[in-house]
């Protein structure tokens, strides 16, 4: 099935065209800085994925998507010659609230519920919904699915998803833990079960999605029972530019002292903090690791803090699982950085998570799912490659196949 994956953000639009049968990527497009005068769109087709850059100054997200579809239909290098060859559309939706426990087909019953979720992710859901509406008009007969970052976490019990605030904030504003990266955690857990050659229902897994955003999930018998991200993706681990969990009183303290607005505070917590905020260098872990190795003190502190927060979260979830069979590392840092894996697990051997340094360091293993703990480690350590767009395409394929 040829699936168009649409991942709309506040000022970005990432799209891929995927042939799900052979898991083949046919097109990748990245639109950045939508609404800005430097807005541009890069489009790349298989097999070479050579990028062509288009100026999209002044275009809205719907217009940018429409332009991409026009390129898809007309470019001689495009793998399709007509938009009717797109058999389904998979939309990544950041917040599914309490309405969606699973990916869903978008129709007249589900779309109004999607609209109700907009309040929960005001930067991400509305542009995604606008793309859906545009595509409904343009590709009238093409089924569309919504794949949620939050759905996998709907199994989290109330004691873990409620915040100890006056209960009316949950009743009136639906403030609770929703989590994120659900597609990735679900996939990582299943891949780990495959590696361990055991049914996922028999396993206790701690999945660590460590990318520029990061979250850790306790997956007990195949179900998410707790996760570090909360009402928004700001909670939990220290991330590339996000603070993660801090004493909430710091927020009002800084706002009063510096007399800054809500928007400025929001920016500080989401864009200026984390690895970037502490290192003062970059949000890119590779840059900060290199600087730390060269002796930069702030970079070293950033790495130490990052490692510490990951260790804490793994320990916290170990305590609440009924069993722990494996810790699963995925996403940019989790998959690629043997150095960080070594630092993280150096502190966790006493819990029975014992890294095999040789297996952890095998050159050329990147991109391969594998076990990197010693053979008789009581708790295994797995490394799994995540691919969000491919997951969305395959979920869309499965949903459409089972419905039509
Ligand atoms: P996202 O999809 O959220 O943008 P990714 O999963 O691509 O994030 O992860 C990006 C992060 O992974 C960046 O901090 C990047 O520096 C880090 N990363 C990628 N490769 C490596 C590596 N070899 N060593 C350390 N960090 C890496």
């Amino acid at each position: 099935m040829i699936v168009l994956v649409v991942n709309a953000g506040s000022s970005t639009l990432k799209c891929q065209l995927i042939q799900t049968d052979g898991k083949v990527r046919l097109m990748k497009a990245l639109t950045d800085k939508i609404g800005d005068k430097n807005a541009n769109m890069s489009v790349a087709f298989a097999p070479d994925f050579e990028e062509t850059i288009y100026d999209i100054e002044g275009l809205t997200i719907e217009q940018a998507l429409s332009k991409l579809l026009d390129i898809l239909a007309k470019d001689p290098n495009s793998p399709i010659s007509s938009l009717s060859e797109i058999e389904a559309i998979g939309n990544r939706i950041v917040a599914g609230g309490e309405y969606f426990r699973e990916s869903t087909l978008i129709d007249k019953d589900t779309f109004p519920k999607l609209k109700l979720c907009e309040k929960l992710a005001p930067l991400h859901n509305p542009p995604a919904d606008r793309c859906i509406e545009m595509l409904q008009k343009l590709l009238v007969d093409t089924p569309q699915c919504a794949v949620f970052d939050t759905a996998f976490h709907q199994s989290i019990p109330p004691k873990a998803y409620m915040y100890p605030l006056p209960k009316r904030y949950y009743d009136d504003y639906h403030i609770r833990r929703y989590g994120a990266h659900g597609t990735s955690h679900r996939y990582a857990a299943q891949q780990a079960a495959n590696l361990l050659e055991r049914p996922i229902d028999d396993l206790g897994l701690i999945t660590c999605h460590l990318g520029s955003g990061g979250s850790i999930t306790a997956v007990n018998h195949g179900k998410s029972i707790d996760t570090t991200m909360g009402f928004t993706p700001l909670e939990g681990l220290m991330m590339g530019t996000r603070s993660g969990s801090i004493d909430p009183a710091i927020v009002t303290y800084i706002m009063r002292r510096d007399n800054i607005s809500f928007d400025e505070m929001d920016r500080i917590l989401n864009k200026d903090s984390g690895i970037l905020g502490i290192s003062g260098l970059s949000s890119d872990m590779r840059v900060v690791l290199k600087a730390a190795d060269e002796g930069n003190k702030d970079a070293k502190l950033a790495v130490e803090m990052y490692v510490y927060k990951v260790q804490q979260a793994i320990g916290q979830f170990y305590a609440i699982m009924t069993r722990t069979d494996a810790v699963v590392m995925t996403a940019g840092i989790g998959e690629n950085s043997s150095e960080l894996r070594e630092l993280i697990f150096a502190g966790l051997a006493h819990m029975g998570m014992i890294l095999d340094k040789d297996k952890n360091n095998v050159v050329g293993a990147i991109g391969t799912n594998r076990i990197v703990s010693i053979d008789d480690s009581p708790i295994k350590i797995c490394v799994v490659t995540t691919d969000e767009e491919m997951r969305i395409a395959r979920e869309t394929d499965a949903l459409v196949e089972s419905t039509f």
Side-chain angles (χ1 to χ4, degrees):
M1 183 180 290
I2 294 186
V3 178
L4 176 69
V5 176
V6 180
N7 181 351
S10 48
S11 61
T12 59
L13 174 68
K14 295 183 202 161
C15 294
Q16 291 195 8
L17 195 66
I18 289 175
Q19 168 64 264
T20 52
D21 306 333
K23 298 193 206 168
V24 184
R25 220 174 304 275
L26 303 172
M27 182 276 306
K28 282 201 245 185
L30 175 62
T31 308
D32 211 8
K33 304 196 176 81
I34 294 172
D36 189 279
K37 64 177 181 345
N38 297 321
N40 63 67
M41 176 157 67
S42 94
V43 183
F45 294 113
D48 304 329
F49 290 102
E50 211 167 286
E51 290 182 8
T52 309
I53 308 287
Y54 298 86
D55 179 11
I56 55 151
E57 185 186 338
L59 299 194
T60 61
I61 195 162
E62 297 98 310
Q63 289 166 334
L65 181 54
S66 169
K67 182 172 173 112
L68 172 65
L69 293 175
D70 203 46
I71 295 166
L72 258 179
K74 295 188 184 141
D75 192 298
N77 294 318
S78 171
I80 57 172
S81 52
S82 155
L83 295 181
S84 61
E85 289 174 52
I86 299 174
E87 291 164 275
I89 299 159
N91 296 279
R92 177 208 178 200
I93 306 290
V94 166
E98 292 187 316
Y99 296 106
F100 298 102
R101 300 182 76 87
E102 296 290 340
S103 303
T104 185
L105 214 61
I106 300 169
D107 57 24
K108 61 179 184 358
D109 295 327
T110 52
F111 194 63
K113 288 185 190 141
L114 268 182
K115 296 291 285 180
L116 290 175
C117 296
E118 288 189 354
K119 277 203 272 317
L120 296 171
L123 292 181
H124 290 86
N125 274 35
D129 289 350
R130 296 212 306 273
C131 289
I132 292 169
E133 284 179 293
M134 193 282 265
L135 290 165
Q136 280 171 335
K137 288 187 198 127
L138 199 72
L139 301 172
V140 182
D141 297 322
T142 312
Q144 291 202 63
C145 297
V147 178
F148 301 94
D149 274 19
T150 51
F152 183 53
H153 301 301
Q154 278 296 298
S155 45
I156 294 177
K159 68 179 177 188
Y161 73 62
M162 288 297 288
Y163 290 104
L165 291 167
K167 191 153 168 290
R168 68 187 169 89
Y169 292 117
Y170 172 70
D171 297 334
D172 297 344
Y173 300 158
H174 310 287
I175 292 176
R176 51 159 284 180
R177 179 182 310 284
Y178 290 105
H181 294 141
T183 319
S184 174
H185 286 292
R186 188 200 303 260
Y187 179 71
Q190 186 55 59
Q191 293 304 305
N194 296 351
L195 277 174
L196 300 172
E197 299 179 350
R198 302 250 305 275
I200 191 163
D201 293 349
D202 289 352
L203 294 169
L205 302 166
I206 297 173
T207 52
C208 308
H209 176 111
L210 308 179
S212 26
S215 65
I216 298 190
T217 297
V219 185
N220 215 21
H221 306 293
K223 291 199 164 46
S224 167
I225 59 163
D226 203 353
T227 191
T228 53
M229 280 182 170
F231 179 59
T232 72
L234 185 57
E235 193 182 344
L237 303 177
M238 172 177 179
M239 303 176 222
T241 60
R242 282 175 239 162
S243 64
S245 296
I246 58 167
D247 179 346
I250 296 170
V251 175
T252 42
Y253 182 82
I254 293 178
M255 288 181 75
R256 284 199 191 98
R257 273 203 80 150
D258 284 356
N259 194 22
I260 57 172
S261 67
F262 293 106
D263 284 348
E264 277 172 282
M265 193 67 230
D266 217 34
R267 200 204 61 232
I268 292 167
L269 294 169
N270 280 289
K271 305 266 186 216
D272 300 344
S273 298
I275 313 271
L276 171 66
I278 295 294
S279 71
L281 289 174
S282 170
S283 63
D284 189 321
M285 187 55 96
R286 283 164 292 199
V287 174
V288 177
L289 275 173
K290 186 163 177 288
D293 289 344
E294 287 164 3
N296 181 306
K297 283 208 175 81
D298 288 338
K300 210 159 167 258
L301 175 63
V303 173
E304 279 173 9
M305 286 172 67
Y306 185 86
V307 166
Y308 184 67
K309 306 275 176 198
V310 172
Q311 290 171 331
Q312 274 185 320
I314 292 174
Q316 159 197 335
F317 286 157
Y318 175 82
I320 58 138
M321 304 278 281
T322 50
R323 55 183 296 151
T324 305
D325 296 279
V327 178
V328 192
M329 307 295 279
T330 193
I333 297 171
E335 288 167 31
N336 299 315
S337 181
S338 53
E339 186 178 347
L340 267 178
R341 287 196 301 266
E342 189 167 332
L343 291 170
I344 291 166
F345 289 103
L348 301 180
H350 69 288
M351 282 202 299
M353 303 160 187
I354 309 170
L355 194 75
D356 181 319
K357 288 190 183 163
D358 294 333
K359 286 188 199 159
N360 184 45
N361 271 312
V362 173
V363 181
I366 288 176
T368 316
N369 293 350
R370 61 200 189 280
I371 297 175
V372 294
S373 44
I374 60 168
D375 288 345
D376 50 4
S377 177
I379 296 173
K380 307 288 181 243
I381 303 165
C382 305
V383 177
V384 159
T385 305
T386 193
D387 185 341
E388 205 173 16
E389 277 75 17
M390 191 62 77
R391 290 302 313 146
I392 294 172
R394 295 187 69 198
E395 288 218 26
T396 301
D397 176 328
L399 204 59
V400 170
E401 283 291 339
S402 66
T403 314
F404 294 99

